[in-house]
């Protein structure tokens, strides 16, 4: 009677079989090899939250030195780009309607006259609100400029009044504002976005591919063939999950390398802490993929189930939009989303150089989610095999 193979040999055989089946499936290989590269490139280069070169229609009805000078200063930082000169507000309004311009700056008659008299001079800015991000950036740029200009004019008038009344010092003090930006001085989008993209990559690699792979086994009947062999279910399950665990860790390492080399994403914290969080997070995503496969009879059902999990999880993770901007009831739901905690750990560690004390709570949440979900999925998988 031939002796039963050891557990290690059985595990290696299952891992080898899973790798060969994965390599032969072109759809899975596309998701494992091409999708991560596409996501990094597209999100790194195409997604940019920086607002600049906003096409602007200029209506200078005053046509004075003051209006032209302030207009040049407003356009100097590059946020607004002079697209056309309109003779009146009606023409600039039509430019906004047709999309030729996204902003309109209107200097009315008497602008310089009001300034010379010491009165409040008015400037109107009209924005296309169909793109909130662009409109907000343009409004902030104009507001920031006129707030600074107004403060300078007020200070000059105070100095003039002090000199006229022969006082030794101005009647009012002044405040100089100095702004410093930490962690991302250039306010570049990729350092903020790439850690979230890595979380998205792991959802594709582990959750979707794992659920489809196990569903494929059941669909083509190879799962039943394996079950008749003298192999414990634990060995079978571990052998099927280990390749995707390794691929997920490789994708994170690849993403960090590309992010640091191409997009200048800083790696200020511990790389070991990053991979510890990745391991806890992958336990969760593998468990979800395994759980979905137990409810799926075909690969199409598995893909649909994984997609229905992935999209809400990504939207509620804070990758693209801040969680604080969501309604309070939706913020409570995000507490049950493991992607939220992984994104926080990645951003805090990579951008701020946070250590274990700073991310301990999020890391523990990932570990608890991973343990509970993977355990539940394993028990259901064993039940399906029984």
């Amino acid at each position: 009677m031939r002796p039963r193979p050891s557990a290690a040999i059985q595990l290696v055989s299952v891992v080898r079989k899973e790798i060969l089946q994965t390599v032969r499936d072109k759809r899975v290989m596309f998701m494992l090899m091409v999708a991560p590269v596409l996501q990094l490139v597209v999100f790194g280069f195409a997604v940019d939250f920086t607002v600049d070169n906003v096409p602007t229609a200029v209506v200078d009805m005053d046509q004075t030195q003051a209006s032209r000078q302030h207009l040049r200063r407003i356009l100097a930082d590059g946020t607004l780009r002079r697209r056309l000169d309109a003779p009146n507000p009606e023409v600039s309004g039509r430019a906004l309607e047709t999309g030729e311009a996204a902003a309109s700056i209107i200097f009315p008659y008497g602008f310089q006259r009001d300034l010379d008299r010491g009165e409040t001079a008015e400037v109107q800015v009209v924005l296309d609100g169909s793109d909130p991000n662009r409109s907000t950036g343009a409004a902030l740029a104009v507001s920031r400029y006129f707030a600074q200009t107004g403060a300078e004019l007020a200070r000059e008038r105070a100095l003039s009044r002090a000199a006229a009344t022969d006082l030794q010092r101005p009647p009012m003090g002044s405040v100089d504002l100095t702004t410093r930006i930490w962690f991302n001085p250039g306010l570049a989008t990729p350092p903020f976005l790439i850690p979230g993209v890595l979380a998205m990559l792991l959802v594709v690699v582990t959750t979707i591919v794992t659920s489809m792979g196990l569903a494929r086994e059941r669909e083509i009947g190879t799962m039943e063939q394996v079950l008749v062999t003298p192999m414990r279910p634990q060995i079978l399950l571990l052998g099927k999950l280990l390749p995707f665990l390794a691929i997920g860790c490789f994708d994170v390492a690849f993403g960090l390398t590309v992010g640091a080399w191409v997009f200048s994403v800083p790696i200020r914290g511990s790389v070991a802490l990053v991979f510890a969080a990745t391991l806890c997070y992958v336990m969760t995503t593998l468990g979800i993929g395994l759980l979905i496969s137990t409810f799926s009879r075909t690969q199409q059902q598995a893909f649909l189930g994984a997609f229905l999990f992935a999209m809400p999880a990504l939207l509620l993770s804070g990758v693209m939009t801040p969680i604080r901007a969501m309604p309070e009831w939706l913020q409570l739901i995000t507490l049950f989303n493991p992607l939220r905690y992984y994104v926080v750990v990645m951003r805090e560690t990579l951008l701020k150089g946070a250590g274990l004390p700073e991310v301990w709570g999020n890391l523990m949440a990932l570990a608890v989610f991973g343990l509970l979900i993977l355990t539940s999925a394993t028990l259901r998988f064993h039940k399906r095999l029984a």
Side-chain angles (χ1 to χ4, degrees):
M1 184 176 181
R2 181 177 298 180
R4 180 177 180 178
S6 64
I9 295 177
Q10 292 178 349
L11 179 61
V12 172
S13 300
V14 176
V15 170
R16 180 175 178 274
K17 169 182 170 294
E18 191 67 26
I19 293 175
L20 290 176
Q21 284 189 340
T22 302
V23 171
R24 291 169 182 168
D25 194 325
K26 295 181 179 179
R27 294 175 299 176
V28 174
M29 287 302 298
F30 176 86
M31 298 180 68
L32 291 178
M33 304 302 296
V34 180
V37 177
L38 288 178
Q39 285 186 330
L40 282 174
V41 172
V42 170
F43 280 94
F45 286 107
V47 179
D48 191 353
F49 298 143
T50 304
V51 177
D52 55 6
N53 292 321
V54 178
T56 305
V58 175
V59 182
D60 187 359
M61 304 175 66
D62 197 45
Q63 292 294 327
T64 59
Q65 181 180 358
S67 63
R68 287 190 289 268
Q69 181 182 24
H70 284 290
L71 185 58
R72 285 196 301 270
R73 291 179 179 177
I74 293 173
L75 301 175
D77 70 344
T79 302
L80 303 177
R81 176 172 53 87
R82 192 170 190 162
R83 182 66 178 268
L84 75 154
D85 291 283
N88 53 62
E90 289 76 16
V91 176
S92 65
R94 286 195 295 270
L96 291 176
E97 292 175 357
T98 60
E100 186 178 1
S104 174
I105 303 177
I106 303 172
F107 286 86
Y109 293 113
F111 176 78
Q112 182 168 345
R113 179 198 62 203
D114 294 339
L115 289 178
D116 295 339
R117 291 177 179 178
E119 301 174 356
T120 300
E122 295 184 355
V123 177
Q124 186 179 22
V125 179
V126 183
L127 300 171
D128 179 5
S130 60
D131 187 340
N133 182 56
R134 183 174 59 181
S135 300
T136 301
L140 288 175
V142 177
S143 301
R144 183 172 58 248
Y145 169 77
F146 280 110
Q148 182 179 357
T149 301
E152 292 175 353
L153 291 174
R155 185 174 182 178
E156 290 176 1
R157 290 169 184 170
L159 290 172
S160 299
R161 288 195 298 267
T165 55
D166 197 23
L167 296 177
Q168 297 298 321
R169 59 181 181 179
M172 298 177 60
S174 61
V175 177
D176 291 330
L177 176 64
T178 302
T179 302
R180 297 181 60 189
I181 301 176
W182 287 12
F183 311 123
N184 187 12
L187 296 180
T189 300
F192 169 79
L193 198 59
I194 293 299
V197 174
L198 295 180
M200 297 168 60
L201 289 179
L202 291 179
V203 170
V204 173
V205 171
T206 55
T207 301
I208 298 180
V209 176
T210 300
S211 61
M212 289 180 60
L214 293 173
R216 181 187 63 234
E217 293 272 4
R218 186 175 293 107
E219 187 177 1
I220 63 180
T222 55
M223 182 72 72
E224 287 74 10
Q225 296 177 10
V226 175
L227 292 178
V228 299
T229 62
M231 179 184 299
R232 289 180 296 176
Q234 295 86 347
I235 299 296
L236 172 63
L237 183 60
L238 184 60
K240 288 186 170 297
L241 296 183
L242 277 180
F244 299 107
L245 174 63
I247 293 173
C249 292
F250 171 79
D251 281 342
V252 171
F254 172 76
L256 290 176
T257 303
V258 173
W261 182 46
V262 179
F263 301 109
S264 300
V265 176
I267 305 179
R268 297 190 175 101
S270 169
V271 177
L273 184 59
V274 169
F275 279 96
T278 300
L279 182 61
C280 296
Y281 175 60
V282 171
M283 287 173 56
T284 303
T285 55
L286 285 175
I288 293 173
L290 178 61
L291 194 61
I292 292 173
S293 71
T294 61
F295 291 95
S296 306
R297 296 184 177 180
T298 64
Q299 296 184 67
Q300 288 77 13
Q301 292 178 355
F303 178 82
L304 181 60
F307 180 79
L308 292 177
F309 159 77
M311 287 306 299
L314 292 174
L315 294 175
L316 298 177
S317 64
V319 172
M320 303 295 294
T321 57
I323 294 178
R324 291 189 181 93
M326 301 177 186
E328 292 186 3
W329 64 271
L330 203 55
Q331 294 184 33
L332 295 176
I333 296 178
T334 64
L335 297 176
F336 301 94
N337 183 10
L339 273 74
R340 165 183 177 162
Y341 303 101
Y342 183 67
V343 171
V344 170
V345 173
M346 293 293 284
R347 286 175 175 165
E348 294 287 320
T349 305
L350 296 177
L351 302 184
K352 298 183 179 181
L356 185 60
E358 289 80 14
V359 299
W360 173 254
N362 293 283
L363 193 61
M364 284 298 298
L366 283 173
V368 170
F369 272 115
L371 184 62
L372 291 178
I373 294 176
L374 189 58
T375 301
S376 302
T378 302
L379 292 177
R380 178 166 176 80
F381 181 76
H382 288 174
K383 185 179 180 180
R384 287 292 303 271
L385 294 181

